[in-house]
Amino acid sequence: MSIKIAIQGVKASFHEEAAYKYFGQDIETIECGSFKQTCEMLKHGKADYVVMAIENSIAGSILPNYNLLRDYRFHIIGEVHLNIQQNLLALPGVKLSDIQFVESHPIAIRQCDEFLGEHPEWTIKEGMDTAGCAKKISEDKLTHTAAIASEYAAKIYGLNILEKRIETHKKNATRFLILANEVVEQKAANKASLSFQTGNAVGSLASVLQCFAEQNVNLSKIQSMPVVGRRNEYDFYVDVEWKKQSDFDAAIRKVLKHTVNFSIMGEYIKNEKV
């Protein structure tokens, strides 16, 4: 029986591509209208894993997803990087001059702002998902609307590519997390995602970061999020990488003395390939 992967979006979305890249082709993807819905699928056992975008090299961190990680407390068991190539898609026979509306996910729109800026006559509309916008054009036979989506979406939904590679920066990559209900132990783990809070004293965050530096553990990302309902208090989310497990273990022992609500959200193998 195929493993079930909950994805935000529909078939041919970047989340589905990321799922195939991490798990291979022999999977069943469950289409969800929101990231929260993917988490609900995993929580209630209707999916085995969730693939969730967490940051893009152009648009930055996807902050609402950090809130979902905090609320659901799933385990991060892996990551996957995907090179994002955006294209302008429309129904066969539709020309660039016919376009009045362009629809896509807000982050995809931001990734193509330079190209879209060359066409001030277009009305830009935000949709839930890149591939979902392509699907809508195909199903509703929208002759004045184009979607920003992948080449794969064009193929799946029978659309033409009016313009290829319209993303502003060609080195455009998204990092996705693989989430599970249970811890999956990985002996070769060399990366971890952690969350914690610090006191308000001067230098309290610096003390934590120093613990990692002293043990030769590299800090590859840090993200702060306000603690809901508590003024001037923040959750810190950090990703760290190491060469020796003993260095990481020693760093964690030190960090525990300087933090509260400390949590290892997952230890996994760093994904180098884009």
Side-chain angles (χ1 to χ4, degrees):
M1 205 166 72
S2 300
I3 54 170
K4 294 183 173 140
I5 317 294
I7 59 165
Q8 187 268 324
V10 301
K11 188 146 190 68
S13 65
F14 290 113
H15 275 85
E16 186 177 65
E17 284 192 49
Y20 284 136
K21 187 173 178 184
Y22 187 86
F23 290 102
Q25 295 295 315
D26 189 24
I27 59 173
E28 181 189 335
T29 52
I30 301 170
E31 299 176 358
C32 297
S34 66
F35 286 113
K36 185 174 175 62
Q37 193 186 346
T38 66
C39 292
E40 285 293 308
M41 287 287 177
L42 181 56
K43 180 182 174 182
H44 296 293
K46 293 176 182 172
D48 300 305
Y49 302 98
V50 164
V51 173
M52 178 185 281
I54 199 67
E55 63 180 314
N56 174 265
S57 57
I58 298 171
S61 295
I62 302 168
L63 298 179
N65 288 354
Y66 278 96
N67 288 332
L68 291 173
L69 291 176
R70 181 199 63 208
D71 294 344
Y72 282 90
R73 301 199 169 277
F74 294 136
H75 302 283
I76 301 169
I77 63 153
E79 64 177 2
V80 60
H81 294 270
L82 199 63
N83 234 333
I84 305 295
Q85 298 181 359
Q86 303 287 14
N87 306 276
L88 192 70
L89 316 182
L91 286 170
V94 171
K95 301 188 294 293
L96 209 57
S97 56
D98 299 324
I99 300 303
Q100 295 172 19
F101 306 96
V102 173
E103 197 166 329
S104 195
H105 188 278
I107 287 179
I109 291 166
R110 275 166 65 192
Q111 290 166 4
C112 304
D113 56 0
E114 204 170 277
F115 173 80
L116 294 172
E118 294 167 8
H119 297 276
E121 72 279 12
W122 292 345
T123 300
I124 311 302
K125 296 164 79 176
E126 292 186 353
M128 284 298 293
D129 170 43
T130 53
C133 295
K135 184 181 183 184
K136 182 176 158 191
I137 288 171
S138 178
E139 288 181 346
D140 296 350
K141 302 284 183 277
L142 304 176
T143 52
H144 299 293
T145 303
I148 297 171
S150 69
E151 214 170 312
Y152 181 38
K155 187 177 162 190
I156 292 291
Y157 298 114
L159 301 180
N160 278 355
I161 298 177
L162 294 179
E163 293 277 349
K164 277 192 171 191
R165 301 297 305 271
I166 63 170
E167 67 274 10
T168 305
H169 301 280
K170 302 311 171 197
K171 287 188 174 174
N172 176 16
T174 296
R175 175 177 170 235
F176 298 82
L177 299 177
I178 313 299
L179 309 178
N181 256 323
E182 306 293 329
V183 176
V184 177
E185 199 171 329
Q186 302 186 48
K187 292 204 166 29
N190 57 1
K191 186 170 182 177
S193 295
L194 317 169
S195 71
F196 55 82
Q197 294 164 20
T198 64
N200 275 331
V202 172
S204 46
L205 179 60
S207 301
V208 175
L209 303 186
Q210 187 63 28
C211 297
F212 293 122
E214 286 169 359
Q215 294 302 143
N216 209 24
V217 172
N218 181 43
L219 184 79
S220 59
K221 180 175 172 67
I222 183 166
Q223 181 71 53
S224 64
M225 294 286 287
V227 176
V228 178
R230 286 157 74 179
R231 199 164 155 233
N232 296 333
E233 289 190 33
Y234 294 87
D235 284 313
F236 292 100
Y237 295 89
V238 302
D239 293 335
V240 295
E241 301 167 9
W242 62 88
K243 289 193 166 63
K244 286 165 63 182
Q245 182 73 33
S246 57
D247 286 341
F248 172 67
D249 294 340
I252 295 304
R253 283 196 295 275
K254 288 183 177 181
V255 165
L256 284 168
K257 295 171 188 168
H258 299 277
T259 58
V260 292
N261 295 333
F262 179 89
S263 169
I264 297 178
M265 300 160 73
E267 293 179 33
Y268 48 94
I269 297 165
K270 179 184 175 184
N271 177 249
E272 307 275 9
K273 292 180 191 166
V274 176

